[in-house]
């Protein structure tokens, strides 16, 4: 807070003493440090509001009881509430101008503004690193708000409704729900925790005023925690930190809170954002409290913190209709459903609206059906007021980033900006001899339509035409981002081939730049040497090394080129015998790091098609590790194993034992090793420049690229 004498110059004294009869709006301050009867003007400096959100009005005095309902966050006592960050403020000529404007402007109560707030609504997003307990915490919030019947059977992680999400145990798509607490509707958006799906987090932040940042009580802030917090602070959102899983035996909540506070400072958060409220919770048991040692029997303290610290939605109730589409879904009966937050005006069922695109092109549409999120579903309504999150049917060509506005006076809102992709893969039609055996969609037209249809919802992905008519280049945030698309297409009945992942480089001022990522590896100390050597071979630069809790675990932080991370996860697991945990997040573009090798061993390639035999597999397994077992169909050029030495080796796994006229008294006992089973993710990380992955609904195979093989022979 800066105190400046009214009517004085911006910086230099002497101060002018006003006349005794002169008064100021804020009143007089008499102090021996200033000349007698000096009138002072008090101005509170605040951080500049986000460009996408209107400025906050001056807050009411802290003593007023209306502060709790107005969304002003007053921190409850906390073990770390004494920590503050000192900031240096410079007084400039602009401050003097602001003083004059404040003195000349009427009081807020003198005239009514179009800006208003809705005290009965809160909009929040739950963000965190992967496996820190977001979805489990939402489950407990839904149960305690009486969303389900007492005798209703509810499965775990109910927000992860996608089959692929349940199989992998991660959240892939952001989802909306809502609960009601003490007459206030709380709209909740559950977001993904993996860095490859950061685009889902970026676009839903447009719909909320605050976030719940969930942090594990042992691991603390991780790479994805930094990413989602940075985006939330850029929007100017309020943050409530939830330290989850405090019942773990090796929990260290005080260290986690301090680490989170330091992360706020690193991200240039404002003073108000650094004064975050901390809530300690056990999401699985549905308990929360203001102290890690004193938890309530329910999540009441968490709900109270949301009402107290998350601001109310600021709206223009009488303004022109404006709704930014932040998400879309598809229903077989209703068609495309647009989801977004209503910023201004009132939306009614059946009304005609203007749909504005980012390039100022507009068209007319009609609202067919209107829904709001209530408990764990969508409820049809006749109208929606500004500040609420709703779903709209009837505009079948609506896209994410477009604005639904008033038919006459509507204008477009700023569109959603997503960070650029960093990894590219080639998709092409299946050219193997087994094409059409298992899939329904095998043509290039089917493949093209499906890929471009994915762009309607997945803003972080890009699709381009390749060198030939049957090849397409698909770019995404990472290999997992693209792998989820491949897995979904496979389950829909598509057959196609994919090439190895490649990083997207840039050329700036004649210099070649490549993307770098921050890799955080938790590894036991006895395997740390192997992991450090592995990261060094991939051009990694060590940033930090520290002990990560008890049990002899260390946390290594490296800055590694993105192309060095391809295939690193399996190598790290092998070096640590499955005990290491690798997390990565995009950092920035940097100078080209030079050549690096990601695989030291070659492949075993079948040079003859047919059905594999035990006789041939016994001889082949002496050359390396096999992917196939006896009785399995293979074709010429298919990769059937990993060579134990560098370079590829062609062999025949279909060779049969020659029949002789000598009668055998006893059959020879054949002992075969268990074949190595690779998942889709493993195959994508394994293949190199001259190899492809064949994806069908029932099988995943690897083969040599015939086009590159022919070029090499020529």
């Amino acid at each position: 807070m800066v105190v400046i004498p009214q009517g004085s110059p911006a910086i230099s004294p002497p101060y002018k003493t006003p006349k005794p009869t002169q008064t100021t709006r804020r009143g007089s301050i008499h102090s021996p440090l200033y000349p007698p009867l000096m009138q002072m003007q008090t101005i509170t400096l605040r951080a500049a509001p986000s460009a996408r959100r209107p400025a906050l009005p001056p807050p009411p005095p802290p003593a007023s009881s209306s502060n709790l309902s107005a969304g002003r966050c007053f921190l409850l006592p906390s073990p770390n509430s004494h920590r503050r960050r000192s900031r240096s403020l410079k007084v400039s000529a602009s401050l003097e101008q602001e003083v004059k404007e404040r003195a000349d402007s009427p009081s807020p109560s003198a005239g009514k503004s179009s800006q208003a707030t809705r005290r009965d609504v809160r909009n929040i997003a739950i963000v965190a690193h992967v496996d820190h307990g977001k979805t489990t915490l939402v489950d407990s919030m839904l149960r305690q708000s009486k969303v389900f019947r007492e005798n209703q059977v509810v499965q775990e992680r109910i927000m992860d409704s996608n089959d692929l999400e349940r199989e992998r145990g991660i959240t892939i798509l952001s989802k909306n729900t809502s609960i009601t607490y003490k007459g206030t509707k709380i709209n909740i958006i559950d977001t993904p925790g993996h860095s490859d799906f950061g685009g889902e987090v970026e676009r839903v932040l447009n719909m909320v005023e605050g976030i719940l940042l969930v942090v594990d009580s042992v691991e603390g802030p991780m790479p994805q925690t930094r990413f989602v917090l940075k985006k939330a602070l850029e929007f100017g959102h309020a943050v409530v930190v939830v330290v989850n899983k405090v019942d773990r035996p090796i929990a260290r909540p005080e260290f986690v809170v301090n680490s989170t506070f330091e992360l706020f400072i690193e991200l240039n958060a404002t003073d108000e954002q650094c004064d975050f409220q901390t809530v300690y919770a056990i999401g699985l048991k549905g308990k929360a409290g203001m102290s890690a040692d004193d938890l309530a029997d329910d999540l009441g303290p968490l709900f109270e913190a949301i009402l107290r610290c998350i601001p109310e939605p600021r709206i223009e109730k009488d303004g022109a209709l404006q709704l930014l589409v932040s998400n879309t879904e598809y229903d077989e009966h209703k068609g495309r459903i647009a989801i977004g937050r209503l910023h201004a005006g009132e939306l009614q069922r059946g009304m005609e609206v203007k749909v504005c695109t980012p390039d100022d092109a507009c068209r007319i549409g009609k609202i067919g059906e209107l829904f709001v999120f209530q408990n764990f579903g969508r409820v049809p309504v006749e109208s929606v007021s500004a500040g609420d999150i709703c779903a709209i049917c009837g505009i079948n060509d609506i896209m994410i980033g477009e604005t639904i506005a008033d038919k006459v006076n509507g204008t477009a809102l700023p569109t959603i900006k997503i960070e650029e992709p960093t990894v590219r893969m080639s998709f092409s039609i299946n050219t193997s001899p087994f094409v059409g055996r298992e899939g329904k969609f095998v043509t290039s037209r089917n493949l093209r339509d499906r890929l471009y249809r994915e762009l309607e919802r997945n803003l972080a992905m890009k699709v381009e035409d390749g060198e030939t008519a049957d090849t397409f280049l698909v770019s995404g945030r990472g290999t997992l981002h693209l792998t989820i698309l491949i897995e979904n297409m496979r389950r829909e009945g598509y057959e196609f081939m994919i090439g190895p992942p490649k990083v997207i480089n840039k050329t700036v001022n004649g210099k070649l730049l490549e993307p770098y990522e921050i890799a955080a590896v938790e590894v036991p100390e006895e395997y740390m040497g192997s992991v450090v050597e592995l990261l060094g071979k991939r051009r990694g630069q060590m940033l930090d090394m520290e002990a990560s809790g008890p049990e002899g675990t260390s946390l290594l932080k490296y800055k590694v080129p993105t192309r060095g991370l391809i295939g690193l996860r399996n190598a790290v697991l092998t070096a640590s015998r499955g005990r290491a945990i690798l997390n990565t997040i995009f950092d920035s573009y940097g100078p080209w790091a030079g050549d690096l090798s990601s695989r030291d061993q070659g492949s075993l390639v079948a040079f003859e098609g047919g059905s594999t035999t035990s006789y041939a597999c016994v001889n082949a397994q002496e050359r390396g590790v096999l992917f196939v077992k006896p009785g399995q169909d293979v074709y010429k050029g298919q990769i059937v194993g990993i060579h134990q030495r560098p370079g590829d080796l062609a062999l025949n796994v279909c060779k049969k034992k020659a029949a002789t006229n000598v009668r055998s008294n006893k059959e020879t006992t054949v002992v075969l090793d268990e074949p190595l089973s690779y998942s889709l993710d493993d195959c994508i990380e394994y293949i190199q420049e001259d190899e492809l992955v064949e994806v069908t609904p029932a099988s995943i195979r690897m083969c040599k690229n015939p086009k590159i093989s022919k070029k090499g022979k020529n």
Side-chain angles (χ1 to χ4, degrees), residues 364-438:
I364 302 299
K366 185 177 181 179
I367 305 299
E369 293 186 71
L370 198 57
F371 300 89
V372 294
F373 294 92
Q374 183 174 335
N375 295 336
F376 193 65
R378 290 193 293 259
V379 178
V381 293
E382 293 296 325
S383 64
V384 176
S385 301
D388 206 350
I389 297 176
C390 62
I392 300 170
C393 304
I395 308 177
N396 293 325
D397 57 348
I398 192 72
M399 301 285 289
I400 295 177
E402 294 182 337
T403 302
I404 298 177
D406 184 74
K407 184 179 179 181
V408 179
N409 302 319
T411 57
L413 290 167
T415 186
I416 301 174
K417 295 182 179 180
I418 302 295
E419 291 188 4
E420 295 295 320
T422 57
V423 177
R424 177 187 293 123
M425 295 174 64
S426 64
F427 286 53
S428 60
I429 61 172
N430 190 359
T431 56
S432 76
F434 295 166
V435 59
R437 285 190 179 186
E438 302 167 353

Side-chain angles (χ1 to χ4, degrees), residues 331-346:
D331 187 89
E332 295 181 357
H333 305 287
K334 298 180 176 61
R336 186 173 299 178
I337 302 174
I339 302 174
R341 175 178 174 268
L342 189 58
H343 290 264
E346 184 177 5

Side-chain angles (χ1 to χ4, degrees), residues 388-519:
D388 206 350
I389 297 176
C390 62
I392 300 170
C393 304
I395 308 177
N396 293 325
D397 57 348
I398 192 72
M399 301 285 289
I400 295 177
E402 294 182 337
T403 302
I404 298 177
D406 184 74
K407 184 179 179 181
V408 179
N409 302 319
T411 57
L413 290 167
T415 186
I416 301 174
K417 295 182 179 180
I418 302 295
E419 291 188 4
E420 295 295 320
T422 57
V423 177
R424 177 187 293 123
M425 295 174 64
S426 64
F427 286 53
S428 60
I429 61 172
N430 190 359
T431 56
S432 76
F434 295 166
V435 59
R437 285 190 179 186
E438 302 167 353
K440 297 184 296 182
F441 308 107
V442 296
T443 64
S444 60
R445 179 178 59 85
N446 298 139
L447 184 61
R448 178 187 178 88
D449 293 344
R450 177 61 180 85
L451 290 176
Y452 278 94
R453 191 165 65 248
E454 182 70 18
L455 298 182
E456 297 177 358
R457 190 187 187 283
N458 203 332
L459 296 186
M461 190 171 288
K462 290 186 177 180
V463 177
E464 304 171 304
D465 293 336
E467 298 178 355
T468 60
D470 56 0
T471 304
F472 307 94
L473 299 178
V474 183
S475 305
R477 285 285 185 85
T479 54
L480 180 61
H481 187 201
L482 299 175
T483 301
I484 295 300
L485 170 64
I486 296 168
E487 185 66 34
N488 285 328
M489 293 176 61
R490 175 192 174 202
R491 300 186 180 199
E492 294 169 8
Y494 286 84
E495 276 192 17
F496 53 96
M497 285 186 166
I498 53 178
K502 301 178 181 178
V503 299
I504 301 176
N505 300 321
K506 290 183 178 180
T507 303
V508 179
N509 298 328
K511 296 183 179 180
L512 182 62
L513 305 180
E514 65 174 334
Y516 281 77
E517 299 191 23
I518 301 297

Side-chain angles (χ1 to χ4, degrees), residues 118-122 179-187 306-307 312:
R118 287 194 60 178
R119 297 188 175 184
D120 60 334
V121 175
R122 298 290 189 278
I179 61 176
T180 302
Y181 180 76
K182 293 186 177 180
T184 301
K185 179 182 179 182
I186 303 176
N187 289 310
I306 292 174
L307 298 185
E312 302 164 353

Side-chain angles (χ1 to χ4, degrees), residues 80-93:
N80 298 83
S81 61
H82 65 280
R83 301 196 54 156
R84 296 292 183 270
R85 181 175 62 146
S86 61
R87 298 168 61 100
S88 60
L89 300 175
K90 296 182 180 180
V91 181
S92 61

